[in-house]
């Protein structure tokens, strides 16, 4: 239920203080359009955002800094039109240093499958930028979403975000992690882009560091715009904390105590993430529980996982990668049932979500997932047994992976599609219980494939661009992996998903350049998956945009 602004403020501050704060009468407030107020970038320093949409509610977000650094009452409005003249609800919230002056409002009582426009403001003063959001449908014949991962501010421009912002027909924007990077200025950076060096210049370790890093990323105009135009559903990966993070530590966290305790660092990263992103999750100690699901009518369920911080035990070996199998541990490590990537509690939840989705008749199950789920062998033909690609993937935690995979296969949970990031490159794979045994899986026909995995490129983060292996790598990786249908190791962009009851189409859209601001893009690879099989079929025609998309949020 929305609380009236005057009732809330009077009840909180008393009549005299409320009169001073409100600065105008109820009649004046109700007769004025918030859209007519001047833009106040001095107070609303980092734009607006929305996220975690449901059929009847959505989170609205902004950052509202007061001139004296004291708590301040901030009003919000949600409307049916871009000018904010056809108001639906108004309310009030509080901005304070306790939450780094970020505010979130969970607006309820909305209509399903509806586009809304919103802003935050101070009575008699200015407003935030106007944002645009959308609730989930309860009936849908078709849906469109884009998913992204791995946006390193220091390594390029967020052109992929601008391209997504320009797609006004999307239902939602999905991010599967590495929204920020923790590294110090100059580390994993393009030295030719000094203007994009990280702030604060030191590595993010403390709460103040992480807050500062989010604040810097949220000055990027392309990131601001995609937040302004689309609701976001997001999970974290490792760089919201530190490289190759797990519950006990990280590759990029010191063991000599110079960076403090890992528990404190986890707590800081988790808190900043919850403050700066429009996510419906409660703070946890030391990290929040962010795995959750979203029903898109009877079309699909979007199931978002936490393969990173909830229950992951340390990686085997030091995970140097696919071309050096000596560094990813040994088979006894990978199959050890005591080692987990999601843990018993979340694994049980995943199975419950998959089963409930099938039972309720949803046509598809989309799983937002940080690291590659599918089995993979490294291109090291001389090794016996074959070595896995990376111990940071589900391959390094095969007990958990096999339980989820067996649940999908043994319970007939069809039309399951993993949406994955982390690896800064593009992959399309068919999933079976054993893709390396020709008696189990036939790569020519997709026989006994039970799911598919779509791995999206990074927004900017480095892969093999400039590396002599870039051209040969797809072929080298494909040789021992017959279930791999596509791989690309240099391009930046996102994956567009267009889904209806009969098929899901995945399109890899790459920006033409990411070293200068330029949102030009090209569709490079297209696959369809029919609802009757878990087989990737290459296509040549991009999906048509949805007709008559709602108007953009005005600049």
């Amino acid at each position: 239920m929305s609380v009236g602004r005057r009732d809330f403020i009077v009840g909180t501050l008393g009549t005299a203080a409320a009169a001073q704060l409100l600065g105008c009468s109820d009649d004046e407030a109700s007769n004025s359009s918030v859209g007519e107020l001047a833009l106040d970038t001095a107070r609303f320093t980092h734009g607006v955002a929305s996220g975690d949409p449901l059929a009847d509610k959505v989170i609205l977000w902004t950052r509202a800094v007061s001139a004296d650094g004291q708590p301040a009452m901030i009003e919000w409005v949600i409307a049916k039109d871009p000018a904010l003249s056809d108001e639906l609800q108004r309310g009030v919230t509080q901005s304070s240093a306790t939450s780094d002056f970020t505010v979130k409002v969970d607006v309820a009582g909305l209509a399903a499958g509806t586009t809304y426009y919103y802003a935050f403001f101070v009575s008699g003063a200015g407003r935030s930028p106007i944002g645009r959001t959308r609730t989930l449908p309860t009936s849908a014949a078709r849906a469109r979403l884009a998913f992204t991962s791995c946006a390193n501010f220091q390594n390029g421009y967020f052109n992929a975000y601008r391209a997504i912002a320009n797609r006004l027909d999307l239902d939602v924007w999905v991010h599967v992690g590495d929204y920020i990077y923790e590294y110090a200025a100059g580390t994993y950076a393009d030295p030719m882009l000094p203007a994009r060096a990280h702030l604060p210049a030191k590595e993010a370790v403390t709460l103040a560091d992480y807050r500062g890093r989010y604040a810097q990323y949220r000055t990027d105009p392309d990131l601001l715009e995609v937040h302004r135009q689309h609701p976001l559903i997001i999970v974290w990966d490792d760089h919201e904390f530190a490289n190759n993070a797990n519950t006990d530590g990280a590759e990029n966290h010191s063991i000599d105590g110079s960076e403090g305790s890992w528990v404190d660092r986890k707590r800081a990263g988790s808190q900043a993430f919850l403050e700066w992103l429009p996510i419906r999750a409660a703070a946890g100690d030391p990290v929040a529980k962010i795995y959750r699901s979203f029903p898109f009518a009877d079309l699909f369920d979007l199931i978002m996982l936490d393969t990173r911080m909830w229950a992951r035990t340390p990686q085997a070996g030091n995970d140097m990668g696919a071309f050096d199998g000596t560094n990813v541990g040994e088979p006894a490590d990978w199959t050890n049932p005591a080692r987990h990537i999601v843990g018993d509690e979340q694994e049980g939840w995943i199975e419950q979500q998959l089963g409930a989705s099938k039972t309720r008749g949803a046509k598809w199950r989309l799983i937002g997932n940080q690291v590659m789920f599918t089995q993979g062998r490294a291109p090291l033909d001389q090794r016996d047994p074959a070595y896995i690609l990376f111990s940071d993937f589900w391959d390094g935690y095969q007990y958990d992976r096999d339980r989820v995979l067996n649940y999908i296969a043994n319970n007939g949970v069809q039309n399951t599609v993993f949406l994955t990031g982390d690896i800064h490159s593009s992959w399309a794979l068919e999933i079976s219980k054993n893709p390396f045994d020709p008696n189990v899986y036939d790569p020519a026909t997709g026989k006994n494939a039970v799911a598919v995995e779509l791995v999206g490129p990074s927004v900017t983060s480095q892969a093999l661009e400039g590396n002599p292996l870039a051209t040969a790598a797809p072929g080298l990786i494909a040789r021992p992996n017959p279930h791999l249908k596509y791989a690309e190791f240099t391009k930046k962009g996102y994956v567009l998903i267009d889904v209806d009851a009969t098929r899901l189409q995945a399109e890899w859209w790459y920006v033409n350049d990411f070293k200068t601001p330029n949102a030009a893009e090209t569709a490079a690879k297209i696959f369809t998956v029919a609802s009757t099989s878990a087989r990737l079929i290459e296509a040549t025609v991009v999906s048509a945009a949805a007709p008559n998309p709602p108007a953009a949020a005005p600049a």
Side-chain angles (χ1 to χ4, degrees):
M1 179 180 295
S2 177
V3 178
R5 55 192 285 273
R6 180 170 293 275
D7 291 341
F8 182 97
I9 296 172
V10 170
T12 303
L13 303 179
T15 304
Q20 183 178 7
L21 173 64
L22 291 167
C24 64
S25 70
D26 281 339
D27 289 340
E28 290 172 325
S30 61
N31 291 330
S32 64
S33 170
V34 173
E36 297 172 359
L37 295 176
L39 185 63
D40 183 358
T41 57
R43 181 185 295 270
F44 298 101
T45 56
H46 291 84
V48 295
S50 68
D52 275 15
L54 297 174
D56 63 343
K57 62 173 59 176
V58 68
I59 298 280
L60 306 182
W61 179 99
T62 195
R63 186 168 189 252
V65 178
S66 58
D68 58 4
Q70 297 301 308
M73 305 308 294
I74 305 298
E75 297 185 74
W76 56 268
V77 62
I78 189 166
K80 299 177 182 179
D81 66 314
L84 305 181
S85 57
D86 189 3
E87 288 187 17
L88 183 68
Q89 294 185 41
R90 282 196 188 203
V92 65
T93 187
Q94 180 172 285
S95 166
S96 76
T98 302
S99 59
D100 200 20
F101 296 98
T102 65
V103 297
K104 291 195 285 189
V105 180
D106 199 354
V107 181
L110 304 177
T114 302
T115 297
Y116 294 99
Y117 302 84
Y118 64 94
F120 295 82
F121 66 103
V122 176
S123 293
R127 61 163 174 83
S128 71
I130 296 173
R132 171 182 178 267
T133 192
R134 185 170 179 83
T135 52
L136 298 189
T138 53
S139 176
R142 181 188 182 197
R144 283 165 68 83
L145 62 89
F147 81 89
T148 58
S149 67
C150 305
N152 183 351
F153 191 93
Q154 298 193 111
N155 199 51
Y157 288 89
F158 293 164
N159 296 334
Y161 287 153
R162 177 67 62 164
I164 295 170
N166 291 341
R167 290 184 176 273
L168 298 180
D169 65 334
L170 298 183
D171 292 279
V172 70
W173 163 40
V174 175
H175 201 299
V176 291
D178 293 344
Y179 179 94
I180 64 163
Y181 277 69
E182 84 280 12
Y183 294 119
T187 303
Y188 291 94
D190 185 340
M192 302 304 293
L193 297 174
R196 290 183 72 84
H198 270 158
L199 295 173
K202 66 185 288 287
E203 183 178 320
V205 175
T206 67
L207 177 58
D209 296 338
Y210 286 111
R211 284 171 165 176
R213 192 60 52 80
Y214 280 101
Q216 180 191 31
Y217 275 54
R218 289 287 271 275
T219 62
D220 182 275
D222 301 319
L223 180 53
L224 289 174
E225 187 65 6
V226 71
H227 272 299
R228 206 168 68 86
Q229 299 296 348
H230 299 300
L232 170 67
I233 296 174
I234 188 170
V235 287
W236 55 45
D237 195 12
D238 51 343
H239 290 289
E240 289 87 352
F241 300 88
N243 185 53
N244 278 6
N246 56 71
T247 55
D248 295 335
E251 178 274 332
N252 195 31
H253 182 74
S254 68
I255 60 174
D256 62 5
S258 60
E259 292 182 321
S261 79
W262 178 239
V263 171
D264 287 344
R265 190 171 183 177
K266 286 195 295 184
R267 186 178 292 115
S270 176
Q271 180 175 336
F273 183 90
L274 294 190
E275 289 172 345
W276 278 85
L277 289 162
I279 179 173
R280 188 180 290 105
D285 192 10
V287 298
K289 180 187 288 188
I290 63 164
Y291 57 87
R292 61 210 194 282
S293 64
F294 300 86
F296 280 69
D298 59 357
L299 195 55
F300 66 89
D301 285 293
L302 177 62
I303 302 168
M304 302 292 285
L305 308 186
D306 183 354
T307 65
R308 183 60 65 181
M309 301 305 296
W310 186 252
R312 179 193 281 257
T313 49
Q315 294 85 344
N318 59 14
D319 196 44
M320 290 298 290
F323 296 91
D324 189 353
T326 60
N327 291 304
V328 292
E330 299 295 335
D333 299 319
W334 314 329
T335 59
N336 185 345
R339 300 183 65 255
H340 298 288
I341 190 169
V342 291
D344 291 339
E345 177 185 332
Q346 186 178 181
E347 188 265 332
W349 175 85
I350 295 169
E351 293 181 2
Q352 185 274 327
Q353 292 295 311
L354 292 170
S357 179
K358 177 186 175 183
T359 298
R360 80 176 187 86
K363 196 67 176 180
W364 299 86
R365 281 137 289 282
L366 309 186
I367 300 179
N369 167 59
Q370 292 88 343
V371 296
M372 192 180 293
F373 181 85
T374 314
Q375 305 97 317
R377 284 182 174 173
L380 300 167
D381 296 341
Q382 74 276 20
R383 294 206 176 268
D384 186 21
Y387 271 60
I388 63 175
L389 285 167
F390 293 99
S391 63
D392 190 50
F393 295 173
W394 287 74
D395 252 344
Y397 305 87
Q398 294 177 16
Y399 177 74
D400 279 14
R401 197 260 311 283
D402 288 349
R403 287 197 298 174
V404 174
L405 180 53
N406 287 336
Y407 183 87
I408 292 170
N410 297 342
N411 291 276
V413 183
Q414 297 178 330
N415 302 337
T416 299
V417 179
F418 287 80
L419 311 179
T420 300
D422 182 76
I423 196 174
H424 306 175
S425 49
S426 300
W427 307 57
L429 307 104
E430 294 175 350
I431 302 173
S432 79
K433 286 189 173 183
N434 187 348
F436 312 111
D437 184 346
N439 295 315
V440 174
Y441 166 74
D442 182 355
T445 64
K447 177 185 176 182
N448 290 332
V450 298
V452 301
E453 183 161 29
L454 313 172
V455 182
S458 67
V459 172
T460 60
S461 299
Q462 184 77 13
L464 294 185
E465 52 269 27
N467 190 310
L469 282 173
T471 301
L476 290 172
I477 293 290
R479 191 175 303 151
N481 294 288
H483 53 308
L484 175 63
K485 303 304 178 182
Y486 173 61
E488 203 291 324
F489 293 92
T490 64
K491 302 296 186 181
K492 311 302 172 190
Y494 62 95
V495 180
L496 177 70
I497 303 294
D498 187 287
V499 58
D500 62 28
T502 64
R503 66 92 179 97
L504 179 146
Q505 180 157 311
E507 303 169 8
W508 279 258
W509 286 84
Y510 299 138
V511 294
N512 296 353
D513 174 35
F514 70 103
K515 297 301 185 180
T516 61
N518 181 351
E521 60 177 348
T522 302
K525 184 62 69 171
I526 307 168
F527 284 99
T528 62
V529 183
S531 62
T532 55
S533 72
R535 186 182 179 192
L536 289 161
I537 303 297
E538 191 165 354
T540 58
V541 180
V542 300
S543 57
N548 304 314

